Amino acid sequence: MDSEKPIIPQEGNDADSSQLGSGDELRLSRCRRCEHHDPPRGKLSCHDWMSDIPGAADNCDMVEVQFKNTRKGFFLNSLRIPLEIGDTVAVEASPGHDIGQVTLTGPLVRRQMKRANVKANAEVRRVLRKARPADLERFEEAKAKENDTMIRSRKIAADLKLNMKIGDVEYQGDGNKAIFYYIADERVDFRQLIKVLAETFKVRVEMKQIGARQEAGRIGGIGPCGRPLCCASWMTNFVSVGTAAARFQDISLNPQKLAGQCAKLKCCLNFEVDTYVESLKHLPPKDVRLETADNTYYHFKYDVFNRTITYSTDKSIPANLVTLTADRAFEVIAMNKAGEKPLTLLSESEANATEKKPYADLLGQDSIARFDNAKKKKKRKSKSKQPKENGETAQQPQQQNRQRQKSDENRSGAKSQKPKQERRNQKNSNDRQRKPENGNSAEQSGEHNANGNQRREERRQQSQKQKNDQ
């Protein structure tokens, strides 16, 4: 520990930051937020709401001391040492002494002892002194050996074929004793293990079994909510969690979603279950049936916060679902007990409200062909944009023409072709319309056309003879 005293500015002589060194500034900042006046927050911390009462701490000589992990103890301050929250003290142990940190003083310690079921005739150990520099050095040396001891002890347990997992090791403040925390699903005979550990590490050995929840709290992690685990951050004790908590909150009983990192049910299932249980008292029970003039309705689901219940005409499947308020459900139940059956479950005001505000799909999310309609509209717009000539309607798309041609071909069984004579005449007329560049070329073209016409005429006659013969 640093034996130098912190620099405290005196009245009329304020310390200037320029006159202080880096170490002086650090000690000055520590003094301004002294740990003795700023109690540690976080896991296992208890708010001392009676600290403002003058003389409250003088009436109680018991203090609460916290050690590694979740281990706590209550000790008697018989020497009347002035202790505050955050002080490091040396307390009695068997054997030797242990080093811990004071977490609570005053009359609240008695309340915590009663909550922890500490018996009045139980042995109470004493606070020896505030931790000295020599005590802290020895304590740090013992803590440095914890990780190595844990790894070696796991190998020893594996060699002995013990079905257990050693999760952590805690050395006592003086280094004469070590506590081995382990997890086991069944009873383990570790008498031989204790002998081997004592011979190997030359310390007194104490085995302490912890549960899966305590193991997860020690290791820590991030939960599915995105925040640190509650058992590793602020929870002080573990309460048993049952599946009834999930049923009250109408949560699906899926073990993969309900289990935490410790493979047990999540502790957060108990956080809101009391609110649900209190709210369900003001709703009709699930096993009550509602009788109307035409149907019998069974409970399907409920909304606790809106105080609405949904009923179905079938027990197993949702059929003809009707949602009504809890007040209306109690009215129908009272009418059924009196032997009356209403025409409908909904009251007149609720029925009018549903008629005035019918369900409307404003965004078109429920339409299967919502994208097809947009495409059809675009096509219609493109048709209207086509120009019209001579007062006639625009021509149909090419796809429709192709379909008609295919249908005609299927009916006739052959493709429609123009006669060869019409194509010949059209070609001859095109040749006549051409203008010759000079006279010679015109004469040559004329002779060539005449010879070509004779040949075509002969071919035509031969083809007609062949057709007649067939």
Side-chain angles (χ1 to χ4, degrees), residues 10 76 80-81 135 196 225 261 286 321 338 351 404 428:
Q10 301 295 331
L76 177 63
R80 295 291 179 175
I81 302 172
D135 298 333
V196 176
C225 58
Q261 295 188 9
K286 294 182 179 180
L321 298 178
R404 289 182 180 179
N428 292 334

Side-chain angles (χ1 to χ4, degrees), residues 6-60:
I7 298 175
I8 302 175
Q10 301 295 331
E11 295 182 0
N13 186 16
D14 295 338
D16 188 6
S17 60
S18 61
Q19 299 176 359
L20 300 176
S22 58
D24 297 337
E25 292 179 356
L26 180 60
R27 290 193 296 271
L28 179 59
S29 62
R30 287 179 179 174
C31 178
R32 289 174 179 172
R33 53 176 183 81
C34 183
E35 294 181 356
H36 296 284
H37 303 293
D38 187 11
R41 307 304 303 165
K43 189 175 181 180
L44 296 177
S45 63
C46 180
H47 177 66
D48 189 3
W49 52 273
M50 299 181 68
S51 59
D52 297 337
I53 301 175
D58 299 336
N59 298 328
C60 182

